[in-house]
């Protein structure tokens, strides 16, 4: 802790008793750099010759400085930070000490800055209180679960959308896009608003004018589609009819072939298998439209 | 960088190893990291927040951000400045959203002020330390926003001038000169508030 004069006096007593330790000596030294009174006291205590300014008129120096450069407090203040940190050395240190020895205001400032230099770092850490760690661990655990889930990105977007600023910015961008599309002389859709306004003002008649040809177009297109698909539908109908008959025959011949095979009548079974082959050919022919649909083969067992 | 874990076994914990374990999803390592830095983050957040509960919310948000962004830390050696930068940015963003200045003078008048982490003071020393801490808090409120922030980041949190310049987007020379003026300004405020110095 940076010393004040009362503490220095107590230190001096301990020093004279041989109880002063090194850290106290360092602090005492720093105090002596800025306090001429205690320098004199130390010199007296240690039996050293004392040099003071008591013989000089203190007003003379102040008057001279006042008429020339002005007070040097501003210049001294620029060095007080380095003095507090122990970085001031050499001639700068001597000059600042001389000023502090004759300027009580700056000396008080220097002491305050030295004390702050020691105090402020101790304010870096503050106990947040009980339960804070558990609270953080809970929050980070939830954050970890969210970031790994497929809903994580959606939740983040949802959070973004709920911010008023996002809505304002989105509205601004939307208005800008609409202006670019409709509102300038070179916009690609610049005529649309005028047409829409005219249609609205016409009381619906303009809409009918636009709707009539559109309706005619739809009807004509529908007619073409129906006309074009009619022969295709007819063709497919006939093909499906032929294939249907052959399929029924295939089923019948299949049952007979299986029964014959079970009975052990392999000749009969083979004959029915051949009929089934004919049925399959008929189905293929009907569906592919490569020939007239053929019915079941004439020969049956 | 090594630091002894308070109350733990005799071996100091390597910070780089701690960060590596956190990246691998070690929950114990993450808890240790939180406990190591929560006082510092909360201490900085207190300077921006209107009250202690708001500071806790901000500090929690900082750690959630750290948790998700730990993989993007370029160098473990700059973890502390990175942590403080994130803390400061979150606090400033919060202030912008709230659009109010931190009213810490009222808080320090109502609450006795949380104690520093340093253990072991006598009751008299603790009272004196608490009283001085409140005095300094009040003096800080008399500074301009930029000067107060420079004091918080440099004198209290220990960031370097270069780091503060990057964080505040100011030239290095500006930060240096402002830092000197801010210290003098703070000392004058302390003297004025105490009446007869500290």
């Amino acid at each position: 802790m940076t010393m004040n004069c009362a503490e220095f006096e107590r230190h001096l007593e301990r020093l004279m008793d041989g109880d002063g330790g090194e850290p106290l000596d360092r602090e005492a030294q720093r105090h002596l750099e800025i306090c001429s009174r205690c320098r004199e006291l130390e010199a007296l205590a240690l039996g050293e010759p004392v040099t003071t300014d008591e013989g000089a008129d203190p007003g003379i120096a102040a008057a001279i400085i006042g008429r020339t450069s002005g007070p040097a407090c501003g210049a001294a203040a620029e060095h007080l930070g380095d003095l507090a940190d122990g970085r001031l050395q050499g001639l700068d240190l001597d000059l600042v000490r001389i000023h502090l020895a004759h300027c009580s205001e700056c000396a008080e400032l220097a002491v305050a800055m030295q004390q702050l230099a020691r105090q402020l770092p101790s304010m870096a850490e503050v106990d947040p209180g009980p339960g804070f760690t558990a609270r953080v661990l809970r929050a980070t655990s939830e954050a970890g679960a969210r970031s790994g889930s497929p809903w994580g990105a959606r939740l983040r977007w949802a959070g973004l959308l709920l911010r008023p600023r996002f809505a304002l910015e989105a509205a601004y961008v939307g208005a800008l896009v609409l202006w670019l599309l409709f509102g300038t002389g070179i916009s690609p859709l610049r005529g649309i608003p005028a047409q829409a306004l005219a249609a609205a003002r016409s009381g619906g008649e303009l809409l009918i004018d636009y709707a009539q040809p559109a309706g005619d177009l739809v009807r004509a297109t529908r007619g073409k589609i129906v006309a074009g698909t009619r022969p295709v539908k007819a063709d497919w109908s006939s093909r499906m009819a032929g294939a249907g008959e052959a399929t029924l025959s295939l089923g019948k011949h299949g049952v007979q072939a299986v029964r014959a095979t079970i009975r052990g009548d392999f000749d009969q079974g083979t004959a029915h298998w051949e009929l089934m082959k004919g049925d399959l050919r008929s189905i293929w022919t009907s569906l592919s439209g490569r020939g007239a649909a053929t019915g079941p083969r004439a020969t049956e067992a | 960088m090594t630091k002894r874990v308070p109350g733990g076994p005799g071996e100091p914990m390597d910070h780089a190893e701690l960060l590596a374990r956190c990246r691998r999803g070690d929950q114990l390592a993450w808890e240790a990291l939180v406990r190591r830095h929560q006082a510092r983050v909360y201490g900085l957040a207190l300077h921006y927040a209107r009250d202690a509960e708001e500071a806790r919310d901000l500090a929690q948000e900082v750690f959630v951000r750290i948790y998700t962004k730990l993989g993007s830390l370029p160098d473990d050696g700059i973890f502390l400045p990175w942590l403080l930068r994130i803390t400061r940015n979150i606090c400033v963003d919060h202030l912008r959203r709230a659009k109010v200045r931190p009213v810490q003078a009222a808080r320090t008048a109502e609450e006795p002020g949380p104690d520093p982490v340093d253990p072991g003071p006598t009751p008299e020393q603790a009272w004196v330390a608490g009283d001085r801490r409140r005095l300094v808090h009040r003096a800080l409120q008399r500074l301009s926003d930029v000067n107060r922030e420079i004091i918080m980041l440099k004198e209290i949190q220990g960031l370097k001038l270069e780091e503060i310049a990057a964080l505040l987007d100011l030239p290095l020379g500006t930060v240096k000169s402002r830092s000197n003026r801010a210290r003098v300004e703070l000392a004058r405020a302390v003297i004025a508030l105490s009446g007869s110095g500290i």
Side-chain angles (χ1 to χ4, degrees), chain B residues 24-97:
Chain B
R24 291 197 293 266
D26 188 335
Q27 290 181 329
L28 289 173
W30 172 244
E31 180 182 352
L33 191 72
V34 171
R35 290 190 187 280
R36 177 178 286 194
H37 295 291
Q38 65 184 15
R40 185 174 288 273
V41 171
Y42 177 67
L44 182 57
L46 265 181
H47 289 286
Y48 293 94
R50 286 171 289 182
D51 52 51
E53 190 53 36
E54 189 173 273
R56 285 190 202 98
D57 290 340
L58 290 171
Q60 178 180 309
E61 197 174 328
V62 168
F63 280 105
V64 172
R65 180 81 61 90
I66 297 290
Y67 183 77
T68 56
K69 302 278 187 195
L70 195 57
S72 64
L73 176 63
D75 176 10
D76 289 352
I78 61 168
F79 176 78
L80 187 58
W82 181 72
L83 174 69
L84 294 177
R85 189 182 323 129
I86 289 176
T87 306
R88 185 255 175 192
N89 288 341
I90 286 177
C91 292
V92 168
D93 286 346
H94 174 76
L95 284 178
R96 282 194 191 126
R97 286 197 297 272

Side-chain angles (χ1 to χ4, degrees), chain A residues 85 115 119 126 128 133 135, chain B residues 38-39 56-57 60 183 198:
Chain A
D85 296 336
Q115 292 186 330
Q119 258 186 303
V126 179
T133 307
R135 188 173 152 181
Chain B
Q38 65 184 15
R56 285 190 202 98
D57 290 340
Q60 178 180 309
R183 292 176 76 177
I198 297 177

Side-chain angles (χ1 to χ4, degrees), chain A residues 1 77-78 81 84-85 108-109 112-113 115-117 119-128 132-133 135-137 139-140 143-144, chain B residues 30-31 35 38-40 42-43 46 53 56-57 59-60 63-64 67 114 117 132-133 136 155-157 183-184 187-188 191 197-198:
Chain A
M1 187 170 64
E78 289 180 9
D85 296 336
E108 187 181 34
L109 192 61
M113 287 182 70
Q115 292 186 330
L116 283 170
Q119 258 186 303
L120 290 175
S122 71
M123 295 169 60
E125 296 188 340
V126 179
D127 188 358
F132 178 78
T133 307
R135 188 173 152 181
V136 168
L137 295 178
T140 51
Chain B
W30 172 244
E31 180 182 352
R35 290 190 187 280
Q38 65 184 15
R40 185 174 288 273
Y42 177 67
L46 265 181
E53 190 53 36
R56 285 190 202 98
D57 290 340
Q60 178 180 309
F63 280 105
V64 172
Y67 183 77
V117 175
R132 285 183 182 170
R133 179 185 284 258
V136 172
E155 306 304 325
I156 296 177
Q157 296 296 339
R183 292 176 76 177
V184 173
R188 287 201 172 113
I191 291 170
I198 297 177

Side-chain angles (χ1 to χ4, degrees), chain A residues 173-258:
Chain A
V173 170
L176 193 62
V177 168
L178 286 174
W179 177 71
L180 289 171
L181 283 176
F182 296 102
T184 71
I186 56 172
S187 296
L189 304 177
R190 60 186 177 279
I192 299 295
Q195 292 173 6
L197 186 60
R201 284 176 175 166
S202 70
E205 293 172 359
L206 196 60
L207 287 175
I208 293 173
D209 291 341
Y210 281 114
Q212 186 67 40
D216 292 341
L217 178 62
V218 167
R219 279 188 289 275
T221 305
R222 182 167 169 244
K224 284 181 185 174
I225 291 172
V226 169
T229 56
R230 191 173 290 127
V232 175
K233 282 172 68 176
D235 180 44
W236 267 108
S237 294
S238 68
R239 288 188 195 187
M240 291 303 291
E245 290 175 15
T247 304
L248 286 172
S249 177
L250 176 69
K252 189 172 78 171
H253 291 148
V255 169
Q256 289 171 348
V258 169

